């Protein structure tokens, strides 16, 4: 894995909000074709980090490299142009539009393209492309492409959002708590999607509070505490108790004596 191409490198990035130092010289790497879990308690800096990578608010300092080249991310469009797609907890879908419209939002096929912004949508081509995409990414449940998103379950919405990121060739897909508030079956579906995303050649930055999910899908884990990256481990070389100790900043022996944290 160390020889794989670096998709994203953050070197000593910083972000403050007034007197609050949300990120303090945080550094991390995501490589091609791997799933990296980003862990930490509330207030550790995870949300600030991914929002900055996503272009919600820029870093105050430090260096960003995408595929080895220096990059600047100041807007969401900058991130998308660099091949970074973020799927937030609310999935960022338009609930009153169809599955097909959401999958191709802003990229819909049109008739008479020479009309520019006035060109009518080609709904036949749109629904056909959406149906093909749903099958390709493994959504086997019979979902009609013209069904409104607000009729879907939480897991189905996550699947649609991930499918959209896969369709438009995002090299790095950031999943922000993708299993939050989902049932058991839907959670397994989302975790399966993470594996499928990796198998399709994408890299994933997976933010979660559920350490059990990390051991099911991640290759490496990065732990943050008080705005800093304090540890990095190969998932195969660690265990749940050790990860909990890293997150809490305590000795694993003390944690074991207390019976672990749950």
């Amino acid at each position: 894995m160390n020889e794989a191409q670096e998709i994203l490198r953050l070197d000593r990035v910083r972000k403050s909000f007034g007197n609050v130092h949300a990120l303090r010289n945080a550094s991390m790497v995501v490589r091609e074709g791997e799933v990296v879990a980003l862990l930490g308690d509330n207030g550790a800096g995870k949300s600030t980090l991914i929002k900055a990578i996503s272009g919600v608010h820029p870093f105050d300092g430090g260096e960003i490299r995408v595929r080895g080249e220096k990059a600047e991310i100041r807007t969401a469009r900058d991130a998308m142009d660099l091949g970074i797609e973020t799927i937030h907890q609310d999935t960022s879908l338009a609930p009153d539009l169809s599955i097909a419209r959401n999958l191709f939002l802003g990229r819909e096929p049109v008739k008479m393209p020479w009309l520019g912004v006035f060109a009518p949508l080609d709904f036949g081509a749109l629904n056909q492309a959406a149906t093909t995409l749903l099958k390709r990414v493994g959504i086997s449940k019979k979902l009609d492409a013209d069904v409104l998103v607000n009729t879907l379950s939480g897991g189905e919405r996550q699947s649609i959002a991930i499918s959209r990121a896969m369709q438009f060739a995002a090299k790095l897909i950031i999943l922000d708590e993708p299993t939050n508030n989902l049932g058991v079956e839907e959670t397994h579906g989302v975790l399966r999607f993470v594996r499928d995303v990796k198998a399709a050649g994408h890299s994933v930055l997976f933010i979660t509070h559920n350490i059990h999910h990390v051991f099911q899908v991640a290759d490496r884990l990065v732990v943050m505490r008080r705005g800093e990256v304090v540890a990095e481990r190969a998932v195969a070389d660690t265990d749940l108790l050790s990860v909990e100790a890293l997150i809490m900043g305590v000795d694993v022996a003390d944690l074991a004596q207390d019976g672990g944290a749950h």
Side-chain angles (χ1 to χ4, degrees):
M1 186 63 68
N2 289 336
E3 296 179 358
Q5 179 185 4
E6 291 182 358
I7 295 299
L8 175 71
R9 173 177 284 274
L10 304 177
D11 187 16
R12 299 177 66 81
V13 294
R14 306 184 303 279
K15 182 65 184 179
S16 295
F17 299 96
N19 293 326
V20 177
H21 300 289
L23 294 174
R24 303 169 180 265
N25 298 320
S27 300
M28 65 173 294
V29 172
V30 180
R31 299 183 178 90
E32 185 173 19
E34 72 171 349
V35 178
V36 177
L38 183 62
L39 306 175
D41 270 338
N42 292 332
K46 305 186 306 298
S47 294
T48 301
L49 188 76
I50 63 169
K51 285 179 180 178
I53 297 171
S54 307
V56 176
H57 46 229
F59 292 113
D60 294 334
E63 184 176 272
I64 309 168
R65 287 185 176 269
V66 177
R67 300 184 192 88
E69 301 291 331
K70 281 187 179 182
E72 193 169 291
I73 302 175
R74 306 198 69 82
T75 66
R77 174 54 59 183
D78 289 341
M80 292 171 64
D81 289 345
L82 289 167
I84 300 171
E85 190 92 19
T86 302
I87 300 171
H88 298 284
Q89 289 184 38
D90 59 4
T91 72
S92 303
L93 297 179
D96 294 327
L97 295 180
S98 69
I99 292 174
R101 288 293 305 276
N102 271 280
L103 285 172
F104 293 89
L105 195 61
R107 305 172 173 105
E108 299 94 333
V110 297
K111 299 176 180 178
M112 298 178 286
W114 59 87
L115 292 177
V117 295
F118 299 105
L121 296 180
D122 187 339
F123 285 102
L126 178 64
N127 285 341
Q128 183 176 3
T131 299
T132 300
L133 173 61
L134 291 174
K135 290 180 179 178
R136 182 174 71 82
V137 299
I139 300 180
S140 56
K141 185 175 179 180
K142 293 181 179 179
L143 292 176
D144 292 328
D146 57 357
V147 166
L148 298 183
V149 162
N150 61 16
T151 67
L152 303 179
S153 70
E156 289 167 344
R157 295 188 192 200
Q158 288 286 8
S159 298
I160 298 303
I162 296 171
S163 300
R164 183 173 63 188
M166 292 176 67
Q167 166 69 5
F168 294 104
K171 291 301 295 179
L172 174 62
I173 299 175
I174 301 174
L175 301 178
D176 180 16
E177 297 283 356
T179 60
N180 197 32
N181 298 322
L182 298 186
V184 174
E185 183 177 354
E186 291 181 331
T187 294
H188 281 291
V190 170
L191 295 177
R192 185 185 67 249
F193 259 78
V194 174
R195 299 186 194 99
D196 291 345
V197 166
K198 176 185 174 181
H202 305 269
S203 301
V204 179
L205 184 57
F206 179 50
I207 295 87
T208 183
H209 280 94
N210 192 315
I211 304 175
H212 295 280
H213 295 166
V214 172
F215 284 89
Q216 294 181 55
V217 298
D219 300 297
R220 285 191 301 119
L221 59 88
V222 172
V223 178
M224 295 189 69
R225 213 165 48 240
R226 294 188 294 275
E228 297 180 287
V229 172
V230 296
E232 175 188 336
R233 299 284 188 276
V235 171
D237 296 336
T238 189
D239 56 49
L240 188 144
L241 195 63
S242 298
V243 175
E244 289 181 327
L246 288 170
I247 291 172
M248 298 171 66
V250 299
D251 188 274
V252 68
D254 293 337
L255 193 59
Q257 187 176 3
D258 293 338
H262 302 283

